[in-house]
Amino acid sequence: ANHSCMDICSNNLSDRLMTEKNWGDIFTQSEELGIEFILLAGGEPFIRKDVLLQAGNHSNIIFPIFTNGTKIDESYIKLLEQKRNLIPVISIEGHKETTDKRRGEGIYEKLEEVMKRLNNNGILFGASVTVTKNNMKDEVTTRVIDLYKPEKLIVFCNTKKKVDQLHDYLKSKKYNVDVIHGDIKQDQRDRTIKKFKKGDVKILIATDVAARGIDIANLDLVINYDIPQENEYYVHRIGRTGRNKN
Protein backbone atom coordinates (compact mmCIF):
# COMPACT_ATOMS: atom_id res chain seq x y z
CA ALA A 1 0.00 0.00 0.00
CA ASN A 2 3.02 2.26 0.11
CA HIS A 3 6.56 2.39 -1.18
CA SER A 4 8.36 3.09 2.06
CA CYS A 5 7.84 3.42 5.80
CA MET A 6 10.08 6.49 5.77
CA ASP A 7 9.36 10.02 4.57
CA ILE A 8 5.75 9.12 3.88
CA CYS A 9 4.71 12.74 4.09
CA SER A 10 7.31 14.06 1.66
CA ASN A 11 5.81 15.69 -1.41
CA ASN A 12 7.81 13.60 -3.88
CA LEU A 13 6.72 10.30 -2.35
CA SER A 14 3.12 11.42 -1.89
CA ASP A 15 2.96 12.28 -5.58
CA ARG A 16 3.94 8.71 -6.44
CA LEU A 17 1.46 6.98 -4.13
CA MET A 18 -1.81 5.69 -5.49
CA THR A 19 -4.81 7.55 -4.12
CA GLU A 20 -7.62 6.12 -2.03
CA LYS A 21 -9.82 6.20 -5.15
CA ASN A 22 -7.19 4.31 -7.17
CA TRP A 23 -7.16 1.54 -4.59
CA GLY A 24 -10.93 1.50 -4.36
CA ASP A 25 -11.19 1.07 -8.15
CA ILE A 26 -8.70 -1.82 -8.05
CA PHE A 27 -10.65 -3.57 -5.29
CA THR A 28 -13.96 -3.03 -7.12
CA GLN A 29 -12.58 -4.44 -10.36
CA SER A 30 -11.07 -7.39 -8.49
CA GLU A 31 -14.41 -8.15 -6.86
CA GLU A 32 -16.15 -7.99 -10.23
CA LEU A 33 -13.61 -10.50 -11.59
CA GLY A 34 -14.39 -12.89 -8.76
CA ILE A 35 -11.09 -12.48 -6.94
CA GLU A 36 -11.52 -13.53 -3.31
CA PHE A 37 -8.03 -13.02 -1.87
CA ILE A 38 -5.70 -10.00 -2.02
CA LEU A 39 -2.48 -9.76 -0.03
CA LEU A 40 -1.52 -6.29 1.22
CA ALA A 41 2.20 -6.12 1.94
CA GLY A 42 5.29 -4.01 1.40
CA GLY A 43 6.36 -1.13 3.58
CA GLU A 44 3.81 -0.78 6.37
CA PRO A 45 0.19 -1.03 5.14
CA PHE A 46 -1.19 0.25 8.45
CA ILE A 47 0.08 3.76 7.71
CA ARG A 48 -2.50 3.88 4.88
CA LYS A 49 -5.75 3.74 6.81
CA ASP A 50 -7.58 5.11 3.79
CA VAL A 51 -6.54 2.04 1.78
CA LEU A 52 -7.59 -0.33 4.57
CA LEU A 53 -10.97 1.39 4.80
CA GLN A 54 -11.44 0.84 1.08
CA ALA A 55 -10.42 -2.82 1.43
CA GLY A 56 -12.79 -3.30 4.34
CA ASN A 57 -15.71 -2.16 2.21
CA HIS A 58 -15.19 -5.14 -0.13
CA SER A 59 -16.45 -7.86 2.16
CA ASN A 60 -16.31 -10.57 -0.52
CA ILE A 61 -12.50 -10.32 -0.60
CA ILE A 62 -10.20 -11.52 2.19
CA PHE A 63 -7.27 -9.17 2.79
CA PRO A 64 -4.31 -10.61 4.74
CA ILE A 65 -2.26 -7.56 5.78
CA PHE A 66 1.41 -8.14 6.53
CA THR A 67 2.41 -5.65 9.22
CA ASN A 68 5.11 -4.98 11.80
CA GLY A 69 2.22 -4.62 14.25
CA THR A 70 3.37 -1.43 15.94
CA LYS A 71 0.77 0.79 14.25
CA ILE A 72 -2.23 -1.20 15.47
CA ASP A 73 -3.90 1.07 18.03
CA GLU A 74 -7.43 1.31 19.44
CA SER A 75 -8.81 2.90 16.27
CA TYR A 76 -7.48 0.00 14.22
CA ILE A 77 -8.85 -2.52 16.71
CA LYS A 78 -12.30 -1.01 16.13
CA LEU A 79 -11.80 -1.10 12.35
CA LEU A 80 -10.74 -4.76 12.45
CA GLU A 81 -13.77 -5.58 14.60
CA GLN A 82 -16.08 -4.00 12.04
CA LYS A 83 -14.30 -5.26 8.91
CA ARG A 84 -13.71 -8.96 9.50
CA ASN A 85 -12.30 -9.47 6.02
CA LEU A 86 -9.14 -7.62 7.09
CA ILE A 87 -6.69 -10.13 8.61
CA PRO A 88 -3.53 -8.65 10.16
CA VAL A 89 -0.45 -10.89 9.93
CA ILE A 90 2.06 -9.63 12.48
CA SER A 91 5.78 -10.01 11.87
CA ILE A 92 7.94 -11.12 14.80
CA GLU A 93 11.57 -12.22 14.92
CA GLY A 94 11.27 -15.09 17.41
CA HIS A 95 11.75 -14.76 21.16
CA LYS A 96 12.01 -11.48 23.07
CA GLU A 97 15.75 -10.97 22.90
CA THR A 98 15.93 -11.52 19.15
CA THR A 99 12.92 -9.32 18.38
CA ASP A 100 14.11 -6.44 20.55
CA LYS A 101 17.66 -6.70 19.20
CA ARG A 102 16.51 -6.52 15.58
CA ARG A 103 13.64 -4.06 15.96
CA GLY A 104 14.21 -2.04 19.10
CA GLU A 105 13.85 -2.37 22.86
CA GLY A 106 10.31 -3.07 24.01
CA ILE A 107 8.94 -4.12 20.62
CA TYR A 108 8.36 -7.73 21.65
CA GLU A 109 6.20 -6.74 24.62
CA LYS A 110 4.32 -4.24 22.46
CA LEU A 111 3.53 -6.93 19.90
CA GLU A 112 2.46 -9.32 22.65
CA GLU A 113 0.06 -6.68 23.93
CA VAL A 114 -1.31 -6.05 20.42
CA MET A 115 -1.91 -9.78 19.88
CA LYS A 116 -3.55 -10.06 23.29
CA ARG A 117 -5.94 -7.21 22.46
CA LEU A 118 -6.77 -8.76 19.10
CA ASN A 119 -7.46 -12.10 20.76
CA ASN A 120 -9.58 -10.55 23.52
CA ASN A 121 -11.72 -8.86 20.88
CA GLY A 122 -12.18 -12.08 18.91
CA ILE A 123 -10.28 -10.72 15.90
CA LEU A 124 -8.67 -13.27 13.62
CA PHE A 125 -4.97 -12.58 13.08
CA GLY A 126 -1.81 -14.39 12.06
CA ALA A 127 1.89 -14.20 12.88
CA SER A 128 4.81 -14.32 10.48
CA VAL A 129 7.98 -15.48 12.25
CA THR A 130 11.32 -14.63 10.70
CA VAL A 131 13.45 -17.77 10.61
CA THR A 132 17.18 -17.06 10.78
CA LYS A 133 20.22 -18.96 11.99
CA ASN A 134 19.54 -17.31 15.36
CA ASN A 135 16.01 -18.65 15.85
CA MET A 136 15.86 -21.69 13.57
CA LYS A 137 16.14 -24.12 16.50
CA ASP A 138 13.20 -22.39 18.18
CA GLU A 139 11.08 -22.91 15.09
CA VAL A 140 12.17 -26.53 14.62
CA THR A 141 11.36 -27.23 18.29
CA THR A 142 7.80 -25.94 17.91
CA ARG A 143 7.35 -27.93 14.68
CA VAL A 144 8.41 -31.14 16.47
CA ILE A 145 6.08 -30.41 19.39
CA ASP A 146 3.16 -29.74 17.06
CA LEU A 147 3.91 -32.88 15.05
CA TYR A 148 4.21 -35.37 17.93
CA LYS A 149 1.90 -33.62 20.43
CA PRO A 150 3.64 -35.22 23.44
CA GLU A 151 1.93 -35.34 26.82
CA LYS A 152 5.29 -35.24 28.57
CA LEU A 153 8.33 -33.68 26.91
CA ILE A 154 11.75 -32.65 28.22
CA VAL A 155 13.84 -30.18 26.21
CA PHE A 156 17.54 -30.06 27.14
CA CYS A 157 19.62 -26.90 26.73
CA ASN A 158 23.28 -26.43 27.63
CA THR A 159 22.94 -23.12 29.49
CA LYS A 160 20.59 -21.53 32.00
CA LYS A 161 20.28 -18.47 29.76
CA LYS A 162 19.08 -20.57 26.82
CA VAL A 163 16.62 -22.42 29.07
CA ASP A 164 15.06 -19.10 30.07
CA GLN A 165 15.03 -17.77 26.49
CA LEU A 166 13.35 -20.88 25.12
CA HIS A 167 10.84 -20.82 27.99
CA ASP A 168 9.87 -17.23 27.14
CA TYR A 169 9.54 -18.12 23.45
CA LEU A 170 7.37 -21.20 24.00
CA LYS A 171 5.31 -19.36 26.61
CA SER A 172 4.61 -16.63 24.07
CA LYS A 173 3.32 -19.37 21.74
CA LYS A 174 0.90 -20.53 24.47
CA TYR A 175 2.65 -23.83 25.22
CA ASN A 176 2.27 -25.30 28.71
CA VAL A 177 5.90 -25.05 29.78
CA ASP A 178 8.13 -24.67 32.83
CA VAL A 179 11.87 -24.79 33.58
CA ILE A 180 14.46 -26.13 35.99
CA HIS A 181 18.09 -25.02 36.22
CA GLY A 182 20.73 -24.15 38.78
CA ASP A 183 19.52 -20.61 39.47
CA ILE A 184 16.11 -21.86 40.61
CA LYS A 185 15.72 -22.75 44.28
CA GLN A 186 15.46 -26.45 45.06
CA ASP A 187 11.98 -26.22 46.59
CA GLN A 188 10.68 -24.49 43.45
CA ARG A 189 12.36 -27.12 41.27
CA ASP A 190 10.68 -29.85 43.33
CA ARG A 191 7.27 -28.21 42.83
CA THR A 192 7.88 -27.93 39.09
CA ILE A 193 8.88 -31.62 38.83
CA LYS A 194 5.79 -32.61 40.82
CA LYS A 195 3.54 -30.66 38.43
CA PHE A 196 5.32 -32.21 35.44
CA LYS A 197 4.83 -35.73 36.79
CA LYS A 198 1.12 -35.05 37.39
CA GLY A 199 0.69 -33.70 33.88
CA ASP A 200 -0.08 -30.14 34.96
CA VAL A 201 3.02 -29.09 33.00
CA LYS A 202 3.44 -30.65 29.54
CA ILE A 203 6.89 -29.36 28.56
CA LEU A 204 9.89 -29.14 30.87
CA ILE A 205 13.00 -27.27 29.75
CA ALA A 206 16.12 -28.15 31.71
CA THR A 207 19.87 -28.11 31.94
CA ASP A 208 21.63 -31.45 32.31
CA VAL A 209 22.85 -30.80 35.84
CA ALA A 210 19.44 -29.71 37.14
CA ALA A 211 17.69 -32.74 35.60
CA ARG A 212 20.20 -35.33 36.80
CA GLY A 213 18.68 -38.01 38.99
CA ILE A 214 15.08 -37.10 38.17
CA ASP A 215 12.93 -40.10 37.23
CA ILE A 216 9.90 -39.32 35.05
CA ALA A 217 7.49 -42.13 34.17
CA ASN A 218 5.83 -42.32 30.74
CA LEU A 219 8.02 -39.67 29.13
CA ASP A 220 6.96 -39.32 25.49
CA LEU A 221 9.78 -37.35 23.95
CA VAL A 222 13.19 -35.78 24.59
CA ILE A 223 14.47 -32.92 22.43
CA ASN A 224 18.17 -32.07 22.39
CA TYR A 225 17.87 -28.34 21.70
CA ASP A 226 21.65 -28.08 22.13
CA ILE A 227 24.12 -30.85 21.39
CA PRO A 228 25.34 -32.19 24.74
CA GLN A 229 28.77 -31.00 25.79
CA GLU A 230 29.64 -34.40 27.24
CA ASN A 231 28.90 -37.89 25.87
CA GLU A 232 27.53 -39.01 29.21
CA TYR A 233 24.96 -36.20 29.07
CA TYR A 234 23.73 -37.51 25.71
CA VAL A 235 23.25 -41.03 27.11
CA HIS A 236 21.59 -39.55 30.18
CA ARG A 237 19.14 -37.57 28.03
CA ILE A 238 18.03 -40.14 25.46
CA GLY A 239 18.00 -42.93 28.04
CA ARG A 240 14.99 -41.32 29.65
CA THR A 241 12.62 -42.38 26.87
CA GLY A 242 14.33 -45.77 26.61
CA ARG A 243 13.56 -46.43 30.27
CA ASN A 244 9.89 -45.66 29.63
CA LYS A 245 7.40 -46.64 26.97
CA ASN A 246 9.52 -45.41 24.02
Side-chain angles (χ1 to χ4, degrees), residues 140-157:
V140 171
T141 298
T142 58
R143 297 282 181 90
V144 171
I145 294 171
D146 292 342
L147 176 63
Y148 287 97
K149 297 178 174 58
E151 288 297 313
K152 287 183 182 177
L153 159 68
I154 295 182
V155 183
F156 283 103
C157 301

Side-chain angles (χ1 to χ4, degrees), residues 179-204:
V179 304
I180 56 171
H181 58 58
D183 285 348
I184 297 174
K185 293 181 179 180
Q186 187 61 50
D187 59 342
Q188 184 177 341
R189 278 190 264 173
D190 291 342
R191 288 195 298 270
T192 299
I193 293 297
K194 186 176 181 179
K195 289 193 295 183
F196 185 60
K197 287 182 175 181
K198 289 175 59 180
D200 295 334
V201 171
K202 302 292 186 183
I203 302 170
L204 182 66

Side-chain angles (χ1 to χ4, degrees), residues 2-32:
N2 58 283
H3 295 283
S4 172
C5 288
M6 300 177 62
D7 300 324
I8 189 64
C9 294
S10 69
N11 290 331
N12 290 339
L13 181 57
S14 297
D15 290 343
R16 296 199 302 270
L17 292 176
M18 290 197 303
T19 66
E20 177 183 354
K21 184 179 184 304
N22 293 150
W23 282 103
D25 290 342
I26 290 173
F27 298 150
T28 297
Q29 293 169 22
S30 299
E31 196 166 17
E32 291 171 351

Side-chain angles (χ1 to χ4, degrees), residues 46 49 52-53 69-84 110 113-123:
F46 274 83
K49 193 170 186 176
L52 300 186
L53 285 168
T70 59
K71 299 294 183 183
I72 300 179
D73 56 15
E74 191 59 36
S75 66
Y76 274 121
I77 295 290
K78 291 180 179 177
L79 174 62
L80 294 169
E81 278 187 306
Q82 296 167 357
K83 308 296 184 180
R84 296 288 175 156
K110 184 170 185 177
E113 179 60 28
V114 167
M115 289 188 284
K116 181 179 179 180
R117 290 168 65 191
L118 292 170
N119 185 61
N120 289 343
N121 285 276
I123 298 169

